[in-house]
Amino acid sequence: MIKTRIDAITGLRGLAALMVVYAHSISSFSLPLKINFLGEVGVTIFFSLSGFLMAYLYVGKTYSLGNVIEYAISRFSRIAPAYLFMLLLSYIVYTFMDPNFVYQISNQNILRHILFSGNVSVFWSITPEVEFYVLFILVWAATSRYLKRFDIVGIMFLVFGSIAILSCRNFFPGTFIGAKLHYFLFGVVAGVVRSRIKDEQEKNSITFLHMILIGLLVLMQSGTISLPFISNKEFYNSLLTAVVGAFLVFCFTFPSRVGKIFFENKFIVFCGECSFSLYLLHMPLIYLFLKLPRVNGSDFISVSLHIIYLVAFGLVVLLASWLSFHFIEKPGARLINALGTSCKKKIFSIFPVPSTEKMRSIKGDN
């Protein structure tokens, strides 16, 4: 059951990445099926998944200095390798080779992006993601105090602070966590609730629910059911989309026959494993493919060549993402984890941790 849940979450991440890729490809390649707010829905799933996973993995785990350091190392190693590689490559290409490159990373904004606060193209969504990683440490600390001592002061502080921020979310820039906080918070709530529910065998009711949710998604995305938004800003500001995103993530982590077909097949799980590289690489590859000669026309040969062109694009995106995942993300993560663990040991050797905290940390790691 644990593997089923992990595969479902990975598959959801892969689906979200594919949504964003298709949304960005529609106008570039004149794709026939234009889907309403597809990219926004994909980003919504990404944000909701982040809140869900952080709560699912860490709320209830012992809050200690050692565990917080391990948490920080884990989060940084997850995104830093591919992100920093793409950032450096974009800086070189844009500054020295092509001033029209899609990722316009220059001397003026590279420091901002290195600090995970940039807003060029798809990098904008990574900024609130990293900010949430930092904010979650407070959530973890507050929930830990409540679970151990029934101390609600920290929880109350977070609740009132969140309400204050959410009431002003329309005024925050899109790269600030305050503008997207509702996605992460509802994801956290979904993760906490899900962690309290034991895995169950597949049920017909869950299968039926999954069928309804997937059907509604298809109807909404195809425009059959109109969404009450006139812009992506309005979409992202809506509390409704945050609730729906968290609800979808929550529901699809339960096992069902439909879930296996849609979220646990090998292709979608593959896309989920490579999702971050897929997200970072697809825009430069779109830019590259648009520079290649294309045949325009409605005759059979022209249409066939266009289909071959699109298939080639899809295969190149998947291959590049797989290569990035295996040769940049994974080795980079191993290196960062090794360095982080070494630094952690040195810190604890210089500043010894009280024995009670060591015991809690060891208990929390098991």
Side-chain angles (χ1 to χ4, degrees):
M1 287 300 176
I2 293 176
K3 184 181 185 302
T4 296
R5 185 170 63 249
I6 293 173
D7 284 349
I9 292 173
T10 304
L12 274 171
R13 189 183 290 117
L15 177 64
L18 291 176
M19 285 181 170
V20 174
V21 172
Y22 189 87
H24 288 159
S25 303
I26 290 175
S27 58
S28 299
F29 300 132
S30 301
L31 299 180
L33 183 58
K34 294 187 178 182
I35 303 178
N36 297 326
F37 296 104
L38 185 65
E40 288 80 1
V41 172
V43 174
T44 294
I45 294 175
F46 274 130
F47 287 161
S48 299
L49 265 175
S50 290
F52 179 92
L53 282 173
M54 295 305 96
Y56 189 85
L57 294 173
Y58 293 99
V59 170
K61 186 176 182 179
T62 301
Y63 182 84
S64 65
L65 177 60
N67 283 345
V68 170
I69 292 176
E70 287 185 1
Y71 162 82
I73 294 171
S74 175
R75 291 301 92 204
F76 186 72
S77 66
R78 171 72 180 88
I79 64 172
Y83 177 85
L84 295 177
F85 174 81
M86 196 67 238
L87 196 64
L88 177 61
L89 181 63
S90 299
Y91 173 76
I92 293 172
V93 173
Y94 178 72
T95 304
F96 302 105
M97 300 170 62
D98 185 358
N100 297 313
F101 187 62
V102 63
Y103 290 162
Q104 299 179 0
I105 307 299
S106 63
N107 292 323
Q108 286 69 40
N109 61 19
I110 188 170
L111 179 60
R112 179 180 175 183
H113 283 82
I114 289 175
L115 297 175
F116 296 95
S117 60
N119 61 353
V120 168
S121 189
V122 299
F123 288 115
W124 77 266
S125 64
I126 298 171
T127 298
E129 187 97 13
V130 173
E131 291 171 354
F132 169 71
Y133 292 159
V134 177
L135 177 64
F136 180 76
I137 295 176
L138 298 179
V139 176
W140 187 7
T143 54
S144 178
R145 289 178 65 88
Y146 173 76
L147 292 173
K148 288 180 180 178
R149 312 172 191 173
F150 295 101
D151 184 348
I152 64 170
V153 175
I155 296 289
M156 291 177 62
F157 174 80
L158 287 176
V159 169
F160 286 113
S162 298
I163 292 173
I165 293 175
L166 289 176
S167 65
C168 302
R169 66 186 182 281
N170 293 340
F171 304 102
F172 293 128
T175 55
F176 178 57
I177 181 62
K180 306 294 183 293
L181 184 61
H182 43 308
Y183 291 98
F184 297 108
L185 288 182
F186 283 113
V188 166
V189 172
V192 170
V193 174
R194 184 66 180 91
S195 67
R196 299 297 185 267
I197 302 175
K198 293 182 179 179
D199 284 331
E200 301 176 353
Q201 298 295 326
E202 296 178 15
K203 290 186 176 181
N204 291 333
S205 58
I206 298 296
T207 298
F208 183 65
L209 175 62
H210 286 179
M211 290 175 63
I212 292 175
L213 292 176
I214 292 172
L216 288 174
L217 279 174
V218 172
L219 291 175
M220 286 189 296
Q221 294 304 306
S222 64
T224 305
I225 298 177
S226 60
L227 299 176
F229 308 109
I230 60 174
S231 66
N232 65 341
K233 180 177 176 61
E234 190 173 303
F235 178 96
Y236 282 128
N237 285 340
S238 172
L239 290 176
L240 176 62
T241 57
V243 172
V244 171
F247 182 72
L248 289 174
V249 170
F250 174 81
C251 289
F252 286 128
T253 58
F254 288 92
S256 80
R257 291 184 291 275
V258 173
K260 284 184 178 180
I261 294 172
F262 282 90
F263 305 114
E264 297 173 41
N265 63 78
K266 291 183 178 181
F267 173 72
I268 202 71
V269 171
F270 163 81
C271 291
E273 291 175 343
C274 306
S275 59
F276 192 51
S277 289
L278 194 64
Y279 186 75
L280 289 175
L281 289 171
H282 76 277
M283 287 298 288
L285 290 173
I286 288 175
Y287 178 80
L288 176 64
F289 265 73
L290 288 176
K291 288 183 171 294
L292 300 177
R294 283 188 291 172
V295 178
N296 296 318
S298 57
D299 58 281
F300 177 77
I301 295 178
S302 297
V303 172
S304 299
L305 289 174
H306 186 65
I307 292 174
I308 293 173
Y309 174 87
L310 293 177
V311 171
F313 166 74
L315 293 175
V316 169
V317 169
L318 292 174
L319 176 61
S321 301
W322 180 84
L323 290 172
S324 174
F325 175 68
H326 282 281
F327 295 103
I328 296 175
E329 286 193 61
K330 291 177 72 174
R334 286 195 295 267
L335 176 61
I336 291 173
N337 276 299
L339 292 175
T341 301
S342 176
C343 290
K344 176 185 172 183
K345 291 179 180 178
K346 290 180 179 179
I347 291 173
F348 283 169
S349 66
I350 298 174
F351 304 100
V353 180
S355 58
T356 55
E357 182 169 342
K358 285 184 179 179
M359 292 301 296
R360 289 176 181 174
S361 179
I362 292 172
K363 182 180 178 182
D365 289 343
N366 294 331

